[in-house]
Amino acid sequence: LPERPPMFNDVTTRDTAALLKLNAPEVANATRLMLAARTDRGGVALSRGDVSAQETIYWAEPNLFDVLPLPVYRGDSRVALARPDGIVLPRAMARKYFGRDDATGQVLRVNGHPMTVRAVIEDLPPDSTELKSGIFASSLAPFSAFATDPADRLGGFHVTVGTYVRLKPGADFAALERRLPKLVDGLTAGAN
């Protein structure tokens, strides 16, 4: 509405990453994250043996670490999420569930589903990022929010995904930033 100030949100539509890659030549790569459950709603049940807790996790596309190159402690983050059973933990979570920093190859249950730790990243600095846990599970899992989110079945316009982009070297960020409002308007044209 013209009389209201613009509203900013930290989530986008599911199509935003692909559309930015197609329509913004400055974008080298884009990826999507979906929060599995908010901690105020109980989080997601993670368990191994007698250790279990509700955690905040993100369903992440396989190219996540190409766009957000987080420091890796063990494993290969470039392929860690390429399999549907892949999960990446920060060192603190590896210690919590497995009693050691290197948990690669170990199985952790996510809402009862077995997932294999494919990489362990360094812990995220507290309060330095919007990413709260550093636990990333493959969006390819058949039980991931990408596969089970009712937004796909409901049709219409749904804003449920975090979209992250990596710009090409030498890209003109200011030019992209100036074009972004028109680009977003084009992406959301016809939205309810």
Side-chain angles (χ1 to χ4, degrees), residues 141-169:
F143 50 88
S144 81
F146 280 98
T148 62
D149 185 28
D152 285 336
R153 294 185 300 278
L154 296 174
F157 183 73
H158 300 278
V159 179
T160 58
V161 176
T163 299
Y164 296 84
V165 298
R166 176 166 288 281
L167 299 182
K168 292 178 180 172

Side-chain angles (χ1 to χ4, degrees), residues 23-45:
N23 296 296
E26 298 89 348
V27 174
N29 205 345
T31 193
R32 302 175 306 162
L33 287 177
M34 187 180 289
L35 186 61
R38 297 187 186 280
T39 53
D40 61 346
R41 294 185 195 154
V44 172

Side-chain angles (χ1 to χ4, degrees), residues 5-86:
M7 182 180 82
F8 296 96
N9 201 333
D10 61 355
V11 291
T12 63
T13 66
R14 287 174 166 250
D15 299 336
T16 301
L19 293 170
L20 283 172
K21 284 196 286 190
L22 288 172
N23 296 296
E26 298 89 348
V27 174
N29 205 345
T31 193
R32 302 175 306 162
L33 287 177
M34 187 180 289
L35 186 61
R38 297 187 186 280
T39 53
D40 61 346
R41 294 185 195 154
V44 172
L46 294 186
S47 63
R48 179 191 173 267
D50 61 350
V51 180
S52 64
Q54 299 292 311
E55 307 283 0
T56 298
I57 74 166
Y58 299 90
W59 296 108
E61 290 191 304
N63 70 336
L64 173 71
F65 297 105
D66 294 335
V67 176
L68 300 174
L70 299 173
V72 177
Y73 173 70
R74 290 283 189 271
D76 187 350
S77 63
R78 293 171 299 151
V79 296
L81 301 173
R83 293 179 45 154
D85 69 341

